[in-house]
Amino acid sequence: QQPVQSPQAVILREGEDAVINCSSSKALYSVHWYRQKHGEAPVFLMILLKGGEQKGHDKISASFNEKKQQSSLYLTASQLSYSGTYFCGTEFNDYKLSFGAGTTVTVRA
Amino acid sequence: DTAVSQTPKYLVTQMGNDKSIKCEQNLGHDTMYWYKQDSKKFLKIMFSYNNKELIINETVPNRFSPKSPDKAHLNLHINSLELGDSAVYFCASSHPGVREKLFFGSGTQLSVL
């Protein structure tokens, strides 16, 4: 079952913040976040495992709320390089990773 | 050196043809995958191999046949191509286990005319 991401798209000015949500209808074991720039391969950002941890990658961080079965990705003080499509991948302890439809982030100067 | 390389980058072909996409990784990973990204950007897993053994085979038409000659290579052969097969196909690799990060190849844009 694929996770649901929201919003579908977001436009930011440099320095602004944004949150991308990833929700599942089933209990999650792990959540992965990847970023894909236009015409390129998805690139790994971080993995969060069951336990409600929070992780960071530069000024991009994420949280994982097991009870709510969701994860959120936080883009803080966005930079032009943050533009791209962000995918969450979820795993239900079955060793299969299912990706959401992606959230397109556009950061403008 | 490219970590995960796949060829060709672009593939334009007629309906009914048979084509192959090759993938190689030099990261020493045991696990390799094929993902399909459609025009709406959904990334869907197709197959996963661990040390040449097929471990995930999602609901994919049997016109698609993966082959792993060794753990560094995973090729995808597609028979009798259809219009709906048009997509970007990504190869990826990781250490064993889905809780390891995936390293993706640069993708193969397949266009079936």
Side-chain angles (χ1 to χ4, degrees):
Chain A
Q1 272 183 326
Q2 289 171 304
V4 175
Q5 282 185 239
S6 63
Q8 281 187 314
V10 60
I11 299 174
L12 301 165
R13 290 213 176 271
E14 266 187 302
E16 290 182 340
D17 303 339
V19 181
I20 300 169
N21 296 307
C22 175
S23 298
S24 169
S25 57
K26 288 170 61 175
L28 294 171
Y29 198 94
S30 68
V31 178
H32 300 222
W33 286 97
Y34 287 78
R35 178 173 62 207
Q36 184 180 29
K37 293 187 180 277
H38 183 69
E40 298 180 7
V43 173
F44 172 81
L45 291 176
M46 62 194 84
I47 292 175
L48 298 100
L49 301 179
K50 197 168 95 160
E53 63 180 297
Q54 192 145 355
K55 278 198 173 181
H57 172 90
D58 195 6
K59 287 186 179 172
I60 298 174
S61 61
S63 62
F64 178 15
N65 188 320
E66 286 167 62
K67 285 186 179 175
K68 290 186 179 178
Q69 295 172 182
Q70 71 178 41
S71 176
S72 296
L73 188 74
Y74 306 94
L75 307 182
T76 305
S78 58
Q79 304 166 19
L80 294 175
S81 62
Y82 287 3
S83 292
T85 301
Y86 290 77
F87 291 95
C88 73
T90 52
E91 183 244 331
F92 309 115
N93 203 19
D94 60 357
Y95 295 91
K96 290 183 189 177
L97 194 60
S98 299
F99 285 96
T103 295
T104 301
V105 173
T106 305
V107 181
R108 294 186 175 155
Chain B
D1 273 348
T2 305
V4 182
S5 58
Q6 53 181 109
T7 54
K9 188 160 176 65
Y10 300 98
L11 192 50
V12 181
T13 188
Q14 301 286 332
M15 268 197 317
N17 284 350
D18 302 338
K19 289 293 176 187
S20 292
I21 306 172
K22 295 187 175 182
C23 178
E24 175 182 3
Q25 55 93 5
N26 62 7
L27 296 167
H29 290 160
D30 285 332
T31 308
M32 296 185 72
Y33 310 80
W34 278 111
Y35 278 86
K36 178 181 179 180
Q37 187 173 43
D38 61 24
S39 57
K40 294 185 179 177
K41 289 194 174 178
F42 273 105
L43 261 173
K44 289 185 181 176
I45 189 165
M46 300 173 70
F47 303 102
S48 174
Y49 271 74
N50 186 58
N51 204 8
K52 302 194 297 173
E53 299 278 335
L54 180 65
I55 55 171
I56 293 176
N57 184 352
E58 288 298 280
T59 310
V60 175
N62 57 16
R63 298 181 294 103
F64 290 79
S65 52
K67 280 198 171 57
S68 181
D70 56 60
K71 71 175 194 177
H73 294 83
L74 180 62
N75 304 323
L76 184 65
H77 188 75
I78 316 169
N79 289 327
S80 304
L81 278 154
E82 300 178 358
L83 292 176
D85 297 333
S86 295
V88 181
Y89 292 84
F90 285 101
C91 175
S93 73
S94 73
H95 288 299
V98 77
R99 288 152 212 161
E100 296 288 336
K101 64 181 179 181
L102 300 178
F103 292 78
F104 284 88
S106 56
T108 295
Q109 172 88 55
L110 173 64
S111 299
V112 182
L113 308 176

